[in-house]
Amino acid sequence: MQAALQEILGLRAPVRLDVLFTTLDEAFPDGPDSHSSSRILSGLAKKRASDLALDVLSWHDKRKYEVNCYHYSAVINACAKTSSWTQALQLFGAMERNSLESNTVAISAAMSACEKGGEWEKALVLFGAMAEHKVEFDTVVFNAAISASKTGNKWERAVHLVGMLVKNRVACNKVTFSAAISACEKGGKWEKALQLFSVLPQSKM
């Protein structure tokens, strides 16, 4: 599997689909197992190779190989690392059309892609749809929503999210702390920043 990943990464850009598909066919003549697919897609995400990750996912579709929520999550994560919010949202929609259950990795990565791409409002819409998707609220998702609020200069929203985080007894971390306080600072609300400074450490930061 590692050899296949290195071979994919070694293809000369721009990578032709037929060359990539042939490389994958030769690496997995009987088709990849779910674990191998996940590791390759996650490896491409780590290398910020979102275009290659999208093409590998396309290969799975063309060859009728199994694709699950973890594969989609890995590719959405790759898109987040390159601020490719349009592709991230398209993939998130494809998960729904294919009746694949969303998970926190997929939704937080899609939110991150939107925020980094300047579409912070779309990130907050995704956060609001979490109940509909039955995705459990966790630290990563809250952090993505608070970061989007900071980007959109919505300090009130950031403070509200911190309140939700504390109320739901979700652990916070340095990212939570930094994003929430920065949102208040951007809005000129130093007193709110100081209040958060005193509240967040009590929430097991």
Side-chain angles (χ1 to χ4, degrees), residues 121-203:
E121 290 175 304
K122 289 183 171 61
L124 293 178
V125 168
L126 282 173
F127 181 82
M130 283 186 63
E132 177 184 340
H133 292 289
K134 298 181 180 179
V135 178
E136 182 181 355
F137 290 90
D138 69 358
T139 307
V140 176
V141 173
F142 267 107
N143 287 351
I146 294 170
S147 293
S149 300
K150 178 191 71 174
T151 300
N153 201 24
K154 297 293 182 180
W155 67 267
E156 303 100 325
R157 180 67 174 171
V159 171
H160 174 71
L161 288 167
V162 171
M164 286 181 62
L165 184 150
V166 174
K167 181 179 179 180
N168 287 279
R169 297 184 178 181
V170 178
C172 57
N173 55 27
K174 290 181 179 180
V175 176
T176 315
F177 182 82
S178 175
I181 290 179
S182 293
C184 292
E185 290 176 345
K186 283 183 68 176
K189 299 297 178 179
W190 291 96
E191 68 282 4
K192 290 292 183 182
L194 291 172
Q195 288 175 15
L196 290 174
F197 189 87
S198 63
V199 170
L200 287 173
Q202 298 173 15
S203 303

Side-chain angles (χ1 to χ4, degrees), residues 9 22 110 178:
L9 289 169
T22 298
S178 175

Side-chain angles (χ1 to χ4, degrees), residues 90-106:
Q90 288 173 348
L91 289 168
F92 195 77
M95 290 181 70
E96 289 188 311
R97 291 192 297 275
N98 292 321
S99 301
L100 294 175
E101 185 176 343
S102 303
N103 56 27
T104 55
V105 175

